[in-house]
Amino acid sequence: MSDWLERLRHVEPLEDITLDAGLVGAMESEFGAVEATAAPAINFYTPTFKVFQTSELKDCGKSAWPAVSITGGDCKLQCDHCKAKILDPMMPARTPEDLWRVVNGIIEDGAQGMLLTGGSNHQNQVEYDAYYSTIRRIKDEFPGFKIALHTALVDDDIALSMEQSGIDAAMMDVIGAQDTITQVYHLRRSVDDFEATLESLVATKMKVVPHIVIGLHYGRLLGEWNALEMIQRHLPDAVVLVVVMPFYAPESRPFETPDSHAVGRFFMDARKALPQTPLLLGCARPTGMAKSQIDSYAVMAGLNGIAHPADGSVELAARLDRRVKVTPACCSIAVGDEVMALDGKDAGLDIDLNAIIEQERQRRALARTAARGLGGIRIVTEGADTAGAGCCSA
């Protein structure tokens, strides 16, 4: 048996999950020989690790990095995996004046930045033209306020306008299969258009953080490796990986849950293809057993950050000699911190294996006690799988 599988058996919440032994062995051979002192740190973004919270870390709160949509809940594409419903919980700002008012309000509430997005037109473009001067005004008035923008498809001129307006980070989905663009996105654009967009963005001074949505073709992996090759040709600042969660897919075009082991193989390939590029697993991914499997593979594949980790993932990372950091933060803050590298500071707390195991034991003991019906005891992990719903691009 693989040494890594043996170590996993010692992690109580993960002892019964099924992993591909061959894949785990390949990951161990590829990534396990690194000395512990040289191993990359992995940052877990989670609101559950209150034990490690200090005065330097603020309490988790969605107001710290809200999502704002310039079209409200409207989107003309109506992609099969989303049907525009992902926009519904976002703060609407349908005019530049609305955006100015919204930003002033959220800054007053303590926001560090925002994710700015909107529904697409039939060309997969978000029509930001009228907003650039307001964005510039926001950045001039509040220089410490960070703005990450979902760009959709752009050309060189649009990318330059975004840069000149003061956008800090540009985020886009990279799609590598024409069938996915045509069938899932209902879009008459080509794979080359997505690569051209990435090329235009990396030519600017903005941080560029593309997303790959794994399983985007109705739950099947189809264009993900091509998307990875596109990213290799136009190296960005970081990459966010998410796994499709098609809650709103129509019954006529259903999605299947992506195979967790195939997702794990893609993690390994992504890490090998982009050895120096930060890779973050965003909060969008299936729940339950699939999440435990996916997160275990993410740890073993050497990803740099995981938002809302599955129970046991932090302990597994420590047992595999990864340098573990924990940032008490909601998913939106996780994206902000990882993508923006706010102020160049490392917000995560270094913690050792013994501290992790003890904290995990305390948390599970509280959960078991509460499950026996003793009132008044709060389960700190309650709702962790859904706390980030609506703040990721998938």
Side-chain angles (χ1 to χ4, degrees):
M1 175 184 290
S2 158
D3 178 51
W4 278 15
L5 284 176
E6 180 62 30
R7 297 190 198 189
L8 183 140
R9 283 186 169 184
H10 292 283
V11 182
E12 181 182 338
L14 301 176
E15 59 188 3
D16 294 327
I17 70 168
T18 301
L19 297 180
D20 182 324
L23 177 57
V24 172
M27 288 179 171
E28 184 175 356
S29 296
E30 185 71 30
F31 308 121
V34 179
E35 292 291 335
T37 56
I42 181 169
N43 203 335
F44 293 93
Y45 301 96
T46 169
T48 64
F49 277 77
K50 299 304 183 184
V51 168
F52 303 106
Q53 199 161 344
T54 70
S55 59
E56 287 78 27
L57 292 172
K58 297 181 180 179
D59 288 338
C60 174
K62 290 185 178 180
S63 63
W65 198 277
V68 179
S69 169
I70 67 167
T71 63
D74 298 334
C75 180
K76 292 182 179 179
L77 282 184
Q78 296 292 309
C79 303
D80 283 349
H81 68 300
C82 171
K83 293 298 180 184
K85 297 299 183 182
I86 198 170
L87 298 173
D88 284 344
M90 297 183 182
M91 302 178 70
R94 292 179 177 271
T95 68
E97 294 75 21
D98 288 344
L99 180 61
W100 176 252
R101 286 193 294 270
V102 166
V103 168
N104 276 268
I106 63 178
I107 289 176
E108 189 172 323
D109 288 339
Q112 303 171 33
M114 69 176 173
L115 305 177
L116 184 60
T117 186
S120 298
N121 61 22
H122 290 298
Q123 295 298 312
N124 194 26
Q125 297 167 328
V126 182
E127 297 175 355
Y128 290 115
D129 286 357
Y131 290 82
Y132 291 135
S133 61
T134 300
I135 294 170
R136 182 70 267 170
R137 181 185 177 192
I138 292 167
K139 292 298 298 182
D140 290 341
E141 187 74 18
F142 309 106
F145 184 77
K146 305 295 184 181
I147 302 177
L149 185 79
H150 171 64
T151 68
L153 294 181
V154 304
D155 57 22
D156 288 345
D157 290 339
I158 296 174
L160 182 59
S161 294
M162 292 175 174
E163 177 189 11
Q164 291 175 342
S165 72
I167 294 297
D168 297 282
M171 306 166 74
M172 61 167 292
D173 293 341
V174 180
I175 305 177
Q178 188 61 51
D179 283 349
T180 303
I181 295 169
T182 303
Q183 298 171 25
V184 178
Y185 269 51
H186 311 149
L187 186 61
R188 294 182 179 178
R189 299 294 292 264
S190 69
V191 171
D192 289 344
D193 290 329
F194 283 82
E195 181 163 7
T197 290
L198 184 59
E199 184 176 14
S200 293
L201 292 174
V202 298
T204 71
K205 296 178 181 179
M206 296 183 290
K207 290 182 180 293
V208 180
V209 188
H211 288 55
I212 297 179
V213 184
I214 302 170
L216 184 57
H217 195 83
Y218 302 104
R220 293 167 43 214
L221 278 71
L222 183 61
E224 285 81 354
W225 283 271
N226 190 33
L228 191 58
E229 291 177 3
M230 292 157 62
I231 291 172
Q232 280 184 292
R233 290 193 287 269
H234 311 284
L235 286 175
D237 295 277
V239 176
V240 174
L241 306 176
V242 295
V243 185
V244 73
M245 297 177 67
F247 296 132
Y248 308 108
E251 292 183 5
S252 60
R253 302 182 74 85
F255 283 66
E256 61 188 44
T257 300
D259 178 74
S260 299
H261 312 303
V263 173
R265 285 189 286 276
F266 184 75
F267 287 163
M268 181 176 178
D269 290 345
R271 181 74 288 170
K272 291 168 64 177
L274 301 167
Q276 303 302 320
T277 303
L279 296 177
L280 169 69
L281 179 59
C283 62
R285 55 195 186 278
T287 59
M289 177 65 73
K291 179 173 181 177
S292 295
Q293 293 170 319
I294 288 169
D295 289 16
S296 296
Y297 284 133
V299 169
M300 294 178 180
L303 269 63
N304 301 90
I306 300 178
H308 288 295
D311 197 10
S313 300
V314 179
E315 182 178 341
L316 174 63
R319 288 188 181 276
L320 297 185
D321 300 321
R322 297 289 303 275
R323 291 186 292 119
V324 174
K325 296 177 180 294
V326 172
T327 300
C330 288
C331 179
S332 59
I333 304 173
V335 173
D337 281 348
E338 186 74 14
V339 167
M340 302 299 301
L342 291 176
D343 301 324
K345 295 177 181 177
D346 186 355
L349 292 175
D350 285 300
I351 50 180
D352 61 30
L353 176 59
N354 291 332
I356 292 170
I357 292 175
E358 180 58 30
Q359 199 274 348
E360 285 278 87
R361 285 174 176 167
Q362 292 177 14
R363 186 187 54 72
R364 288 196 287 268
L366 284 174
R368 285 193 291 267
T369 302
R372 288 196 295 266
L374 295 180
I377 299 178
R378 181 171 177 265
I379 305 174
V380 296
T381 57
E382 187 175 11
D385 282 345
T386 57
C391 61
C392 285
S393 64

